[in-house]
Amino acid sequence: ISGFAWHQGWNDGCDTNMTKEYEYNLANLIRDIRIDLDTPNLPVSIGVSGMSGWKDSDPGRREDIIAAQFAVGNETLYPEFKGTVKSVETRSFFRTPYSFSGKSPGNQVYHWNNNCESYWLVGSTMGKAMIELLNNQNTGTTNKQNEEGNLRQRPDMNTNDFYSSNVTSVKV
């Protein structure tokens, strides 16, 4: 795996508690993926959730999700991610829906109003960020073993209960 691209956040912005936890959860997602895939410096490109554009009808939670996404890419706030995580702006890629005499064929803002140009611009921008991360990456090999010579693993994987959890399904 050369890199990981993340472009998500709409549903988390639908709930105040999930919005408050988003930054914490995103940082932990990156940590967990790196541990699970044994790639401690896996490059991560984050396309912020700008599908509402610059003028959002619900600026509080939506803007908080975007702020959380930018925070995780901030090397001052997350020095452990320095040079390996980059958040990119996407709000300028919003196109108005057809119902407002706009350029988009749909009217679902959480799907970028089904506008292929928006998706292309998001993907292109995230891809450029990924190339930058890959170009800056140290080409040296990483030690995949701990001091005892065992492969690193997540701390919660030391039990047989790793795949059984108390998670319940949540209807959204």
Side-chain angles (χ1 to χ4, degrees):
I1 295 177
S2 297
F4 183 76
W6 183 257
H7 181 59
Q8 182 278 342
W10 178 268
N11 286 336
D12 292 283
C14 294
D15 178 87
T16 303
N17 291 326
M18 290 191 303
T19 300
K20 289 178 184 175
E21 296 172 0
Y22 191 88
E23 180 180 336
Y24 173 82
N25 290 337
L26 180 55
N28 281 329
L29 172 69
I30 293 168
R31 292 180 190 113
D32 287 348
I33 287 171
R34 289 174 169 182
I35 290 170
D36 289 349
L37 298 177
D38 199 22
T39 53
N41 294 313
L42 180 70
V44 178
S45 175
I46 301 169
V48 302
S49 297
M51 61 277 293
S52 295
W54 291 98
K55 293 183 179 180
D56 195 343
S57 59
D58 182 16
R61 292 192 311 259
R62 301 282 167 226
E63 291 300 318
D64 289 346
I65 293 290
I66 292 171
Q69 292 166 328
F70 274 123
V72 173
N74 183 321
E75 296 174 352
T76 302
L77 297 174
Y78 290 88
E80 68 188 285
F81 296 159
K82 183 177 182 177
T84 63
V85 176
K86 188 167 181 78
S87 301
V88 296
E89 183 62 73
T90 65
R91 286 175 278 195
S92 295
F93 308 147
F94 169 79
R95 303 295 181 258
T96 55
Y98 71 89
S99 58
F100 297 103
S101 300
K103 298 179 180 180
S104 297
N107 193 18
Q108 295 172 309
V109 69
Y110 49 88
H111 288 296
W112 290 93
N113 294 321
N114 302 326
N115 189 293
C116 66
E117 179 187 30
S118 297
Y119 282 113
W120 185 86
L121 291 168
V122 170
S124 177
T125 302
M126 291 176 68
K128 288 175 185 173
M130 181 61 70
I131 290 169
E132 182 181 322
L133 292 170
L134 290 168
N135 286 337
N136 293 333
Q137 194 173 47
N138 183 351
T139 57
T141 60
T142 59
N143 182 5
K144 296 182 180 183
Q145 298 179 339
N146 62 20
E147 295 82 25
E148 293 83 32
N150 300 317
L151 290 177
R152 292 190 305 265
Q153 59 182 353
R154 286 179 29 175
D156 59 346
M157 291 178 71
N158 293 326
T159 69
N160 292 332
D161 296 341
F162 177 69
Y163 289 104
S164 63
S165 67
N166 295 325
V167 176
T168 57
S169 64
V170 178
K171 185 176 182 180
V172 263

